[in-house]
Amino acid sequence: MKILSKEYKNIKEKLLKGESITKEEITSLSLDSKKDLVTSLPLFNSDTILKLFTIEPKIFKPAIINNQEVINIIVNDNDLVNILNNHKFKEKDYHTILKNLTNYNNSKVLYDLIKEIKLTNRENIYNKEMLLSLYKNNTYELDIYSINYILIRKNILDKLTNEELLRLIINSNIIYTNELIKDDNIIIRIFKVKDKSLLVELLKNKKEYLKIFSYDLIYKYYNKDLLNNILLYLNPDEKINLVNNKLLKEVLKDEELIKIYKKLYNENPYLLNTLDFNILCEDIKGIKISNLSKIVKYPIIQKIILEINKKTKIIPLFIDKLISNTNNLDINTIIEILNIINKTNNGIDRKIYGNILKLAPTNLDKTTTKEFNKLINYILYLIPRYNNIDRNIYLKTPKNYQDISEYENNLNNYLKEEIKNKNNILDNFLFRHFKVNKNEAIYLTKLYSIDRIDSNIYKEEITFIKNITMILNTDIDSLIKIDNKYKVITMLDNYILINKINKMYSRIYNYEIKNPIYSIKPTIKKVYGKEIKIYKCPLDFKFLVSRVDITEEYLHTGSYLLGWYYTLNKLNTIKTSLISNDNLAIDSDIIFCFDSLEETSIKSISPYLNKKKYTYMSPRELIDNTRDINNTIELDKYYLNNKIPYIIPNFILVNKNKLNDNAFLEKISRISNEFKTKDNKEGLPIVEIDYKLIINNEIDKLNKIALKYQKNHDMKLLSTLITKLENNYTSYHLFNESYSKYFDIDILISIINDRIDNTNSISELNYIENILEQEQSKYKYLKEDLLSNIDLPNILNKINNKRIILEKT
């Protein structure tokens, strides 16, 4: 026994020092020595205790479960639960460990231990310190029983910080917090949080809490940023109800600002959809309400003005004149002007451009519109345009307003002298007379397709583009000769003209997409006792269809109208496509449509779905050049007036084949009703489209064109036949092949081949070749599954062979 005793003392000494031991050293000990080790466990560290346990689990397990001192030591080992599970610990064992545990410092192990107990068996193991340890760690997601245990115990809630309390409420089911938020002290605590974004998160996740945001006792905790962020997640009616007189007094703290807010609201009932409350500050007093109304309609403009104001206090009269004098410019240009002012105010590019605010006239009250426009004119020179094409800086940076006022004349004189000296003549001529350089001029002529636009109606706009095209093709000597006689425009004139050209396309599309839909008496469908008016889509039409997906916001709000508004909140523009009876790219049985536009609506036009290859073209030209899945027309999301937050569709287009389905009828009726407005008390009109009727009408037209061509061989008829056939085929090809098969390309190929065989005219062959290659070029940027179904190489080969024969005769 003495030998064993000495060995045991040595082993115990090693254990006390935390030194490693072997399995054999422990297993060779006598039972009395092992029992002594059990009583000595609290003297060892966690690693040593668990090592002993893994060697002799039966001997040491009771102490692991029941000895509070031992439990409080081993709980510091992050791998504790894995070790215990390897030795088949049961739920009752973990239950005993947790009841004996008083060391809650290691939240990970505490959480792991709790997870080993079924949800329904956990409540009787909880205590205040345990749950505080878990919750304050903020790493682990508590179960509903843990959360409920905390929520109904004031002594635990009092130990939480305001932020922790609010996070608890955010992560809890409202069933458990409903009583809690009736407590004024709790409400005050959560509104006292320093991190106000948590309040926004609360409202975003649980709209049911909205009522507490209107309690009088919490208004004093509001600030402008909190109010701005809360409003993002409210519908129009909720916003109006929240922003009452009491809240305005707390947030604005100024009677004059409150009066300004009310004037803005009277002009625009949907002001709260775009207003940044930070713009309503001391520095904006004095700006005319008419100009302020324009500013608060665009969040980006408010943001830039506020950034400028951080460094240099806004002069209301400066903003007034800037907004008033830019009425003939589009909103994007106004934004760019403000961006330039902001950049130079912050020292960016100041050496190149000067500090715009310091260059402005000092006596603004005496500055005429003409004089102030000289400043705007100068800023416009600084704005990057047309895909940021590089532009020369011809003159030195202005140092004062005098330099600004003389900038235009000095630039023209400089360019005139350069042309006279035969330096870079084309570039200098274009910039002097049109305020575009050569590369910008080339870009403009490609951007605006004007061949199919009536120059009698849009004389000024068309003449501007045609003149640029003419100058690009004029020889250098002629440019020198006409320089002194040719009209010179300012940069402001240039921007105004470009804006007019863009408006021209909006007007043209507005005219073209109006259809006689409502002139024919609608049919009446009945569903569940309700009458639904259904209008018929005409056989010949053009209108815009929305490509905005509102699914996510609809699921969030449960409302199609709010889904539309909330989706547009996140977008800068509205993507649409132009469709027509001969290019009917529709991929849904229900689709929102537009049949009217305002003159500033269109922001870009492209015959492609996603490629940034913009070309402003007439509606007919766009239809005839669309070979992608669909074309893209981006619209401004705002109306010129302020009656409603954003533009809304004019009608719903629905598939006639679905109208025998009562569930479908109920759905479209609901959509229609949800879009009711003061001006449209019946909601969105519902228009049925009969695909088969339209297809039959198109086939009939194509057959008539084909017969006429076969009689007189008019090349224009052949071109129309090819274009219309491809229009129809490609628009149906990806969405409904059962429809595209009706547009038989083989008949067209047969007609072309027959003409190639029988013609004796090389010019006719050349024309056929040209129109086929033109058609093929429309597919230039598309994937293989979107290629033309005309076998061009085969036809071109046949044309070439026939041309060789004719050339020999």
Side-chain angles (χ1 to χ4, degrees), residues 571-711:
L571 302 176
N572 293 321
T573 57
I574 301 174
K575 281 195 174 182
T576 67
S577 296
L578 179 68
I579 64 169
S580 67
N581 47 280
D582 62 335
N583 202 322
L584 198 52
I586 297 178
D587 59 351
S588 175
D589 292 323
I590 304 172
I591 195 159
F592 291 128
C593 297
F594 299 89
D595 63 2
S596 66
L597 296 175
E598 297 194 334
E599 65 174 17
T600 58
S601 289
I602 293 179
K603 297 302 173 188
S604 71
I605 300 173
S606 172
Y608 301 102
L609 171 62
N610 290 318
K611 300 192 182 304
K612 293 184 177 179
K613 296 184 179 296
Y614 303 118
T615 305
Y616 283 76
M617 51 179 70
S618 69
R620 183 71 261 164
E621 196 174 1
L622 182 61
I623 290 295
D624 291 345
N625 281 276
T626 299
R627 296 296 177 261
D628 203 342
I629 294 171
N630 55 256
N631 54 58
T632 303
I633 298 178
E634 289 186 283
L635 305 180
D636 188 347
K637 66 181 181 180
Y638 298 109
Y639 285 112
L640 286 174
N641 60 48
N642 295 314
K643 290 182 179 178
I644 54 179
Y646 304 118
I647 68 171
I648 60 173
N650 299 112
F651 64 92
I652 315 164
L653 190 68
V654 301
N655 186 346
K656 183 184 178 182
N657 295 337
K658 303 284 287 183
L659 292 180
N660 292 324
D661 180 346
N662 281 348
F664 184 82
L665 282 170
E666 178 71 16
K667 181 178 180 179
I668 61 176
S669 174
R670 180 187 165 192
I671 296 172
S672 171
N673 289 328
E674 285 187 3
F675 276 82
K676 285 181 179 179
T677 63
K678 292 177 182 177
D679 295 330
N680 181 14
K681 294 181 180 179
E682 292 193 6
L684 290 184
I686 300 168
V687 179
E688 67 174 32
I689 183 164
D690 188 332
Y691 288 99
K692 289 188 176 178
L693 202 62
I694 289 170
I695 288 168
N696 288 336
N697 189 51
E698 287 301 303
I699 292 169
D700 184 52
K701 289 179 188 175
L702 289 167
N703 287 337
K704 287 177 180 176
I705 295 169
L707 285 172
K708 198 169 182 181
Y709 169 70
Q710 286 172 307
K711 286 181 181 178

Side-chain angles (χ1 to χ4, degrees), residues 419 422 425 474-483:
I419 294 167
K422 300 185 178 181
I425 295 169
T474 301
D475 65 90
I476 300 301
D477 290 335
S478 297
L479 292 180
I480 295 171
K481 290 178 183 177
I482 64 172
D483 181 51

Side-chain angles (χ1 to χ4, degrees), residues 224 251-252 254 256-258 260 275-287 292 302 305-306 309-310 313-314 316:
K224 291 176 180 179
V251 172
L252 297 180
D254 184 300
E256 189 177 347
L257 290 175
I258 293 171
I260 290 171
L275 173 66
D276 182 339
F277 270 88
N278 288 301
I279 203 73
L280 297 178
C281 61
E282 186 70 27
D283 300 313
I284 61 94
K285 291 178 180 178
I287 296 177
L292 201 52
Q302 296 170 77
I305 290 175
L306 288 168
N309 199 42
K310 283 179 185 177
K313 290 297 180 184
I314 293 169

Side-chain angles (χ1 to χ4, degrees), residues 36-196:
D36 183 73
L37 277 180
V38 169
T39 60
S40 302
L41 283 176
L43 303 174
F44 304 144
N45 64 31
S46 177
D47 288 342
T48 301
I49 295 170
L50 291 173
K51 177 74 173 176
L52 290 170
F53 168 70
T54 55
I55 293 171
E56 290 279 14
K58 288 184 179 180
I59 296 291
F60 294 100
K61 180 176 179 180
I64 295 288
I65 294 173
N66 298 302
N67 190 315
Q68 191 175 75
E69 285 185 272
V70 173
I71 291 169
N72 284 334
I73 293 169
I74 62 174
V75 79
N76 292 315
D77 192 303
N78 283 339
D79 204 35
L80 175 63
V81 173
N82 285 333
I83 294 170
L84 300 183
N85 280 338
N86 287 336
H87 292 277
K88 299 181 179 178
F89 268 50
K90 296 180 180 178
E91 182 178 332
K92 65 179 183 178
D93 299 324
Y94 288 112
H95 196 280
T96 305
I97 290 172
L98 283 164
K99 291 295 286 183
N100 286 314
L101 180 66
T102 59
N103 174 10
Y104 305 121
N105 292 329
N106 192 330
S107 298
K108 178 192 181 303
V109 175
L110 177 58
Y111 186 68
D112 289 344
L113 288 168
I114 290 173
K115 283 200 299 183
E116 295 301 317
I117 297 178
K118 292 177 182 176
L119 281 174
T120 51
N121 297 334
R122 289 182 188 177
E123 189 165 355
N124 62 352
I125 64 163
Y126 292 144
N127 61 58
K128 177 177 72 176
E129 288 75 18
M130 178 191 295
L131 287 174
L132 276 173
S133 171
L134 273 180
Y135 186 69
K136 281 178 173 288
N137 185 276
N138 201 31
T139 304
Y140 311 105
E141 186 176 348
L142 297 182
D143 59 78
I144 58 172
Y145 295 99
S146 306
I147 291 172
N148 194 33
Y149 186 93
I150 296 173
L151 289 171
I152 61 176
R153 283 166 174 79
K154 188 176 184 301
N155 61 344
I156 299 181
L157 294 175
D158 289 344
K159 294 282 185 179
L160 299 177
T161 67
N162 294 338
E163 277 76 10
E164 289 167 344
L165 173 63
L166 182 49
R167 282 196 181 94
L168 179 67
I169 293 171
I170 290 169
N171 294 323
S172 305
N173 191 303
I174 196 165
I175 295 170
Y176 302 110
T177 59
N178 208 23
E179 287 300 314
L180 189 66
I181 61 169
K182 291 178 182 177
D183 185 332
D184 287 354
N185 290 326
I186 294 292
I187 295 171
I188 289 171
R189 282 188 64 192
I190 66 176
F191 271 87
K192 277 185 173 180
V193 292
K194 292 179 181 178
D195 183 2
K196 299 295 185 186

Side-chain angles (χ1 to χ4, degrees), residues 222-422:
Y222 269 93
N223 58 40
K224 291 176 180 179
D225 287 327
L226 174 60
L227 181 54
N228 285 336
N229 289 322
I230 287 171
L231 291 172
L232 290 174
Y233 299 98
L234 305 185
N235 68 41
D237 289 336
E238 290 168 342
K239 290 176 183 180
I240 292 168
N241 292 333
L242 177 67
V243 184
N244 56 35
N245 287 332
K246 290 180 181 178
L247 182 57
L248 285 172
K249 285 181 181 178
E250 289 293 343
V251 172
L252 297 180
K253 304 181 187 304
D254 184 300
E255 283 300 323
E256 189 177 347
L257 290 175
I258 293 171
K259 287 179 182 177
I260 290 171
Y261 167 83
K262 289 183 176 180
K263 285 179 181 177
L264 292 171
Y265 179 79
N266 287 335
E267 287 199 10
N268 174 12
Y270 290 91
L271 170 69
L272 292 172
N273 286 292
T274 55
L275 173 66
D276 182 339
F277 270 88
N278 288 301
I279 203 73
L280 297 178
C281 61
E282 186 70 27
D283 300 313
I284 61 94
K285 291 178 180 178
I287 296 177
K288 291 177 184 175
I289 291 296
S290 58
N291 288 328
L292 201 52
S293 290
K294 190 170 184 178
I295 290 168
V296 297
K297 189 176 175 182
Y298 297 95
I300 183 64
I301 290 181
Q302 296 170 77
K303 181 182 177 182
I304 299 169
I305 290 175
L306 288 168
E307 284 180 8
I308 294 169
N309 199 42
K310 283 179 185 177
K311 191 167 181 69
T312 304
K313 290 297 180 184
I314 293 169
I315 301 171
L317 190 53
F318 178 84
I319 297 295
D320 251 347
K321 286 186 174 292
L322 182 64
I323 300 300
S324 296
N325 290 20
T326 52
N327 278 332
N328 289 326
L329 302 177
D330 75 316
I331 197 66
N332 289 330
T333 303
I334 297 171
I335 291 168
E336 286 301 325
I337 289 172
L338 287 166
N339 270 328
I340 293 288
I341 293 171
N342 189 31
K343 281 173 65 177
T344 61
N345 190 48
N346 286 313
I348 301 170
D349 293 333
R350 192 180 287 177
K351 288 184 179 180
I352 304 171
Y353 304 147
N355 187 339
I356 302 300
L357 289 177
K358 297 272 179 77
L359 295 173
T362 52
N363 53 342
L364 284 168
D365 54 332
K366 295 180 180 179
T367 303
T368 64
T369 298
K370 184 178 179 181
E371 287 300 311
F372 193 85
N373 278 349
K374 290 179 180 179
L375 177 67
I376 294 173
N377 189 69
Y378 170 68
I379 298 172
L380 293 175
Y381 276 106
L382 312 179
I383 296 174
R385 298 174 81 186
Y386 312 127
N387 293 334
N388 294 326
I389 293 171
D390 288 337
R391 184 191 292 163
N392 289 335
I393 296 175
Y394 298 97
L395 302 179
K396 291 180 180 179
T397 304
K399 294 180 179 179
N400 48 50
Y401 178 68
Q402 186 65 29
D403 290 346
I404 292 285
S405 65
E406 295 171 357
Y407 192 87
E408 187 72 30
N409 285 335
N410 290 340
L411 176 60
N412 282 324
N413 290 333
Y414 170 83
L415 293 171
K416 180 179 179 181
E417 199 63 28
E418 288 291 291
I419 294 167
K420 183 179 176 181
N421 294 329
K422 300 185 178 181

